[in-house]
Amino acid sequence: MRILLFTGKGGVGKTTLAAATGAALAGRGRKTLVASTDPAHSLGDAFGHTLGAEPSEVDALLSAVQIDSRTLVDTTWHQLRAELRTTLSGAGFDTLDAEELTVLPGVDELLALSEVRRLAEHGPWDTIVVDCGPTAETLRLLALPEAVSGYLTRVFGRRGRVTDSVRRLGTHLEGLRALLTEPSVTTVRLVLTPERVVVAEARRTLSSLALRGIAVDGLIANRLMPAPGIWRGGAASWLRTRRTQQDTVLAELIAAGFTRVARVEHRAVEPVGLPALLAIADELYGDSDPLAGDGTPVTPLLRVRPAPGGYTLRVAIPLGRDAEVDLARVDDDLAITVDGFRRLIALPESLRPCRITGAESDADGLLVSLAGNRGRG
């Protein structure tokens, strides 16, 4: 099973590219499901096919589904919430506290991700391509399993009691987290348009995904102006200027270390239906495997090496020149904040007695220096 998540800033064309990738995979003989968790519900428009909350066939080996998270909230979450309310009351919370604690922000996104996992585990597909919501919603979606699991651990750790309901939820969340952070199963493909504001958000997204241990296997620059050779008439000067600006932005992105960026040109006609989507897939992938990504090996998030008087900890996250980075020690965790995205990373046991003495950034991410007795832990 492979799961490929498409995301990007709203309006960059991620739905079209997710649909095109799904069509290409099916055309190469892989039984494929394209699933949308985007509340905009535009996947059916891309296929020119009416979609519902259950998978339906679009073509041979190709199915699609529009996951309705609100319906999942009204069904699946209703029962679990009732169980948790009872559990929390029995663990010493009063009725009002229990009611408030079971209203989890973002639960609709969490259930949408759970539905993707259910389809992956119980469906007949070899590959699931997920058309995620815009970047901000996707980052919240991908952060929820770890955040909620940590929340439950803190609450019930203090109370000294873990009930069957909480244990089941915790196991489920750990399964979701494991699914997202296993690069042989799940990868993200980030879609952008060659504009500075979009590229800036994409770079922040890359940092945030790396912090969460989620692998990005490719960047796609969508909607490039056509190649100059076909330009004629009075619009040629405008098109040339626009394409020059786009090429400059992409060159800056490549110079920043993102050496492989796939490109798709803008269409004069909106791509709707399988023939148009397959034409995009042919431009994007050619004869290569759409699941292969850009071939960049996945780097472990944390790498520890001995150093005089202590250790160095390499944190492999892509950082822009203007990235705002903050490091702090929180008990046995390292709190890393990059451009407002924060992650608590559990330190390896050997580093827990150590103290942070410095940090610097380079092309490979952060290099944190720690001082301490290497004989401990």
Side-chain angles (χ1 to χ4, degrees), residues 255-258 303 314-320 360-367:
F258 305 102
R303 286 175 291 173
R314 166 68 67 184
V315 186
I317 52 175
L319 296 171
E360 59 185 46
S361 64
D362 57 24
D364 296 322
L366 286 174
L367 189 63

Side-chain angles (χ1 to χ4, degrees), residues 308-312 327 354-360 367-372:
Y311 299 88
T312 59
L327 291 176
C354 301
R355 69 182 188 281
I356 297 174
T357 58
E360 59 185 46
L367 189 63
V368 182
S369 299
L370 301 104

Side-chain angles (χ1 to χ4, degrees), residues 54-109:
E54 293 295 328
S56 60
E57 186 176 276
V58 175
D59 197 32
L61 301 181
L62 179 63
S63 299
V65 62
Q66 187 75 58
I67 294 174
D68 187 349
S69 58
R70 295 312 308 167
T71 298
L72 294 173
V73 169
D74 293 339
T75 54
T76 305
W77 176 240
H78 179 76
Q79 178 182 357
L80 181 57
R81 184 173 175 233
E83 291 181 9
L84 281 175
R85 188 186 301 114
T86 301
T87 297
L88 288 164
S89 297
F93 292 92
D94 61 33
T95 304
L96 181 60
D97 286 340
E99 181 69 26
E100 291 174 345
L101 288 171
T102 57
V103 184
L104 293 175
V107 69
D108 48 349
E109 290 102 333

Side-chain angles (χ1 to χ4, degrees), residues 200-371:
E201 178 171 317
R203 292 174 68 170
R204 289 191 292 269
T205 301
L206 288 168
S207 297
S208 180
L209 291 171
L211 278 175
R212 305 193 191 290
I214 298 170
V216 176
D217 73 358
L219 275 67
I220 303 173
N222 193 26
R223 296 178 180 164
L224 271 74
M225 290 297 104
I230 66 170
W231 298 340
R232 299 291 185 274
S237 176
W238 183 92
L239 289 168
R240 187 176 296 107
T241 299
R242 186 77 183 99
R243 178 61 185 253
T244 299
Q245 290 177 334
Q246 292 181 330
D247 288 342
T248 299
V249 171
L250 289 177
E252 292 173 356
L253 185 63
I254 291 170
F258 305 102
T259 55
R260 298 188 180 183
V261 182
R263 305 182 182 201
V264 177
E265 290 189 351
H266 210 318
R267 263 61 178 170
V269 178
E270 183 180 6
V272 174
L274 284 176
L277 293 173
L278 287 169
I280 288 178
D282 184 62
E283 178 183 354
L284 184 56
Y285 302 112
D287 294 329
S288 63
D289 182 358
L291 290 179
D294 64 9
T296 302
V298 176
T299 303
L301 178 61
L302 300 180
R303 286 175 291 173
V304 180
R305 290 181 179 173
Y311 299 88
T312 59
L313 175 66
R314 166 68 67 184
V315 186
I317 52 175
L319 296 171
R321 295 188 186 92
D322 57 348
E324 296 182 5
V325 182
D326 181 69
L327 291 176
R329 184 72 182 269
V330 180
D331 297 326
D332 289 335
D333 295 334
L334 180 66
I336 303 178
T337 305
V338 180
D339 292 328
F341 293 103
R342 186 171 188 259
R343 166 86 187 272
L344 289 176
I345 298 176
L347 288 169
E349 187 175 354
S350 60
L351 300 187
R352 291 174 187 172
C354 301
R355 69 182 188 281
I356 297 174
T357 58
E360 59 185 46
S361 64
D362 57 24
D364 296 322
L366 286 174
L367 189 63
V368 182
S369 299
L370 301 104

Side-chain angles (χ1 to χ4, degrees), residues 44 49 68 72 84 119 126 136-138 183 208 213 234 275-276 286 295 365:
H49 187 91
D68 187 349
L72 294 173
L84 281 175
L119 291 168
D126 304 314
E137 285 80 358
T138 300
S208 180

